[in-house]
Amino acid sequence: MKEEYMMQKTDIGVIGLAVMGRSLALNMADHGFKVGGYNRSREVTDALVKEHPHDNLVPFYDLETLVASQERPRRFLIMVKAGKPVDMVIDQLVLLLDKGDMILDGGNSFFEDTRRREKRLKAEGIYYFGTGVSGGEHGARFGPSIMPGGEESAYRHIAPVLEAVAAKAQGEPCCAYMGPDGAGHYVKMVHNGIEYADMQLIAEAYLLLKYAGNYTNEELADLFEEWNEGELKSYLIEITARIFREADDYAEGELVDHILDSAGQKGTGRWTSLESLKQGVNVSMITAACNARIMSNRIAERNAAKALIKEAAKQPAADKKAFGESVRKGLYTAKIVAYAQGFDLLRHASSEYGWDLNYGRIASIFRAGCIIQAQFLDDITKAFENDSELSNLMLDSYFLEGINSGKGSLQSILCLGIQNGIPLPAMSQAEAYIDAFRGTPTGANLIQAQRDCFGAHTYERTDREGVFHHDWGQDNE
Ligand code: 6PG
């Protein structure tokens, strides 16, 4: 066996053959690339070639032989757990590589780690590409959305492989060069943040329909299927419609009703939220989605408080069908805000890190393959094609129309939801963001006065330039 694989030449090496690594390796093999597969524990490699034998997939059991199987410049895709394991693989690999070789990290690595690794490897003449990959197992196997970032001049060496395996939207690959060093992983991080907000909004729409609209699972499935024919058409709406119909294996009824009301998170949403505060950008809906998951995890406390805090009196929606339509419009309006916030963060990061991100291109590679893929992304692409410097997505004429025509629905479903005691953190943040954004008073005049009163922090005026301090009386002494 060893002799046999040692003779094989390969086009690319995939290091780490767990679910995502093996799916991408098979995807590359399907597209005619000779792939060398390596995993730290040989059982994983053996299991892959046994379960998925493929002429273009060659197993390797040591990195030296894997490296020797390629012509220069060599290409390696690391698909191991983000964090220390990535550094460990790099440390081993770098000893075997030559100048001009390329390493891609396809995991959900933190962009600051990617920037550090890129800098380190650049000093050794090795190109490092932090490569966001979205689409889960199915996407990786049959066409993910891919966000590579690194040295632009070397991108042409990896582009043929990445663009071949990526999903296609209207015939175009959902893969494009994002920018230098950490740009690819940053875009993937914000993609995930938007994914959190999108999922939370859908969950809130579900709560409204179920508890204020009295929709059954079957009615929910029908409604979501209908929604998936219109402006909300997306992967997440499509799978949600299917989820409502799924029968339970263990008990009567649908599975969704037997799943614990508590959701975990691996951290990319939280990173987006933390990073937004660093950049001074408001991504309140992504933060709300993180907080909603955090609240959901407090199961014991929530159960105890249930008996202590009074429940709101139920006020069902008067007209079920009309309410369903209001929820659809409110959801769509809030979704525009979530994407406006996500792209605002990208815009600030681009200038902060000197990346020159192309927002239209980013939206276009989200059109297929990734978790947030949606018809809506076509409209975002168009918005940035019309104005590459668009400061906020809500100001594009198409989305402005969406906000103006849907805002009333968002307000009405929020009112009814709040009266029914339904927590709607992301939708509430959407409404608050629109209201603050459109210049209605935020109360910051009073906050300025308080700061000046207790700390002499000064204040600015509406009627003249400059900063002022007022003597507020003895309590501020
Ligand atoms: C993707 C997803 C993926 C993510 C999962 C779970 O784009 O394919 O974003 O990268 O890991 O969706 O994320 P959480 O555990 O943080 O919800």
Side-chain angles (χ1 to χ4, degrees):
M1 182 71 175
K2 189 161 185 187
E3 287 297 298
E4 198 182 300
Y5 81 77
M6 280 178 73
M7 318 250 306
Q8 299 252 22
K9 285 283 167 208
T10 64
D11 298 312
I12 185 163
V14 176
I15 300 170
L17 300 173
V19 176
M20 290 298 281
R22 71 160 58 187
S23 303
L24 280 168
L26 288 165
N27 187 349
M28 289 172 183
D30 279 351
H31 283 86
F33 297 100
K34 231 356 169 214
V35 183
Y38 169 83
N39 197 82
R40 196 161 54 112
S41 45
R42 69 176 293 144
E43 302 77 55
V44 176
T45 315
D46 284 339
L48 171 58
V49 287
K50 189 161 166 245
E51 287 160 27
H52 304 276
H54 198 300
D55 285 349
N56 285 338
L57 181 62
V58 189
F60 284 84
Y61 299 96
D62 63 87
L63 284 176
E64 288 80 358
T65 325
L66 176 70
V67 170
S69 73
Q70 279 190 57
E71 303 290 346
R72 288 164 62 185
R74 307 178 182 97
R75 301 172 289 198
F76 301 91
L77 173 65
I78 303 180
M79 293 301 300
V80 302
K81 203 169 173 325
K84 268 225 157 351
V86 177
D87 288 308
M88 282 161 63
V89 173
I90 292 173
D91 287 344
Q92 292 167 8
L93 203 51
V94 79
L95 302 173
L96 307 168
L97 300 189
D98 293 296
K99 281 192 177 14
D101 287 345
M102 274 154 275
I103 300 178
L104 286 73
D105 169 16
N108 272 335
S109 289
F110 185 48
F111 79 98
E112 291 285 18
D113 287 336
T114 303
R115 298 181 84 202
R116 168 178 58 77
R117 290 168 185 148
E118 201 265 349
K119 198 166 164 207
R120 168 195 164 189
L121 290 167
K122 189 181 248 167
E124 312 214 21
I126 291 161
Y127 296 114
Y128 189 71
F129 283 86
T131 306
V133 178
S134 175
E137 179 181 3
H138 187 266
R141 179 67 186 88
F142 300 106
S145 170
I146 309 180
M147 296 144 250
E151 172 62 43
E152 189 167 16
S153 62
Y155 178 62
R156 64 194 165 89
H157 294 294
I158 56 169
V161 186
L162 298 183
E163 291 177 12
V165 302
K168 307 290 176 298
Q170 293 160 18
E172 290 167 33
C174 289
C175 170
Y177 174 73
M178 295 285 102
D181 58 80
H185 274 144
Y186 198 98
V187 172
K188 176 68 201 323
M189 175 187 80
V190 175
H191 163 284
N192 280 27
I194 295 174
E195 171 187 306
Y196 273 52
D198 233 340
M199 292 168 74
Q200 178 62 27
L201 286 175
I202 293 173
E204 291 175 17
Y206 157 63
L207 292 178
L208 283 163
L209 293 165
K210 183 177 164 99
Y211 295 105
N214 286 321
Y215 274 70
T216 63
N217 287 335
E218 196 185 341
E219 288 169 333
L220 284 164
D222 290 344
L223 189 65
F224 272 64
E225 272 171 12
E226 205 181 297
W227 287 0
N228 205 35
E229 301 288 314
E231 57 194 2
L232 281 172
K233 185 175 170 52
S234 61
Y235 171 72
L236 285 170
I237 293 286
E238 183 217 309
I239 63 165
T240 308
R242 279 198 272 124
I243 288 169
F244 288 131
R245 288 201 202 285
E246 200 68 20
D248 192 13
D249 295 328
Y250 297 95
E252 282 285 297
E254 285 76 39
L255 174 56
V256 68
D257 292 331
H258 301 280
I259 298 178
L260 190 67
D261 180 31
S262 176
Q265 52 180 315
K266 290 203 205 77
T268 41
R270 186 168 47 225
W271 289 344
T272 315
S273 179
L274 288 168
E275 168 65 12
S276 75
L277 289 174
K278 239 173 73 193
Q279 295 294 334
V281 177
N282 181 354
V283 297
S284 55
M285 294 178 67
I286 296 171
T287 306
C290 292
N291 282 330
R293 292 197 196 184
I294 291 169
M295 286 297 281
S296 78
N297 299 150
R298 304 279 175 93
I299 300 170
E301 278 167 85
R302 287 165 60 211
N303 280 339
K306 203 175 188 167
L308 304 173
I309 300 174
K310 269 220 257 83
E311 195 183 349
K314 293 282 165 264
Q315 300 182 40
D319 178 338
K320 194 167 179 170
K321 203 165 158 32
F323 182 62
E325 178 55 10
S326 295
V327 173
R328 187 194 68 77
K329 286 183 86 174
L331 172 58
Y332 179 69
T333 309
K335 186 175 160 111
I336 296 173
V337 181
Y339 282 70
Q341 292 187 345
F343 276 85
D344 192 27
L345 179 57
L346 289 176
R347 205 166 60 85
H348 279 77
S350 180
S351 105
E352 170 74 16
Y353 302 112
W355 284 335
D356 197 19
L357 296 178
N358 181 327
Y359 314 109
R361 191 187 296 150
I362 293 170
S364 81
I365 65 158
F366 288 167
R367 287 179 302 167
C370 65
I371 305 295
I372 64 171
Q373 62 182 279
Q375 178 174 296
F376 183 79
L377 265 317
D378 252 337
D379 303 315
I380 299 184
T381 307
K382 282 184 205 137
F384 284 112
E385 276 169 4
N386 288 341
D387 178 4
S388 61
E389 294 306 313
L390 184 65
S391 65
N392 189 297
L393 202 57
M394 295 196 299
L395 297 177
D396 166 74
S397 58
Y398 178 82
F399 290 113
L400 198 53
E401 163 63 23
I403 294 280
N404 279 328
S405 71
K407 193 174 180 307
S409 302
L410 180 59
Q411 285 168 341
S412 76
I413 60 172
L414 275 167
C415 289
L416 190 72
I418 291 166
Q419 279 167 347
N420 276 281
I422 298 170
L424 302 166
M427 285 190 182
S428 308
Q429 286 303 330
E431 179 60 32
Y433 186 88
I434 298 171
D435 288 331
F437 185 78
R438 69 172 291 277
T440 45
T442 61
N445 53 335
L446 183 60
I447 291 170
Q448 283 213 69
Q450 291 166 333
R451 291 177 73 241
D452 191 49
C453 178
F454 65 65
H457 293 293
T458 73
Y459 68 94
E460 288 177 295
R461 299 183 56 89
T462 54
D463 56 357
R464 61 198 71 191
E465 293 284 306
V467 288
F468 299 84
H469 170 60
H470 178 75
D471 181 2
W472 297 92
Q474 62 183 25
D475 281 346
N476 70 331
E477 292 295 302

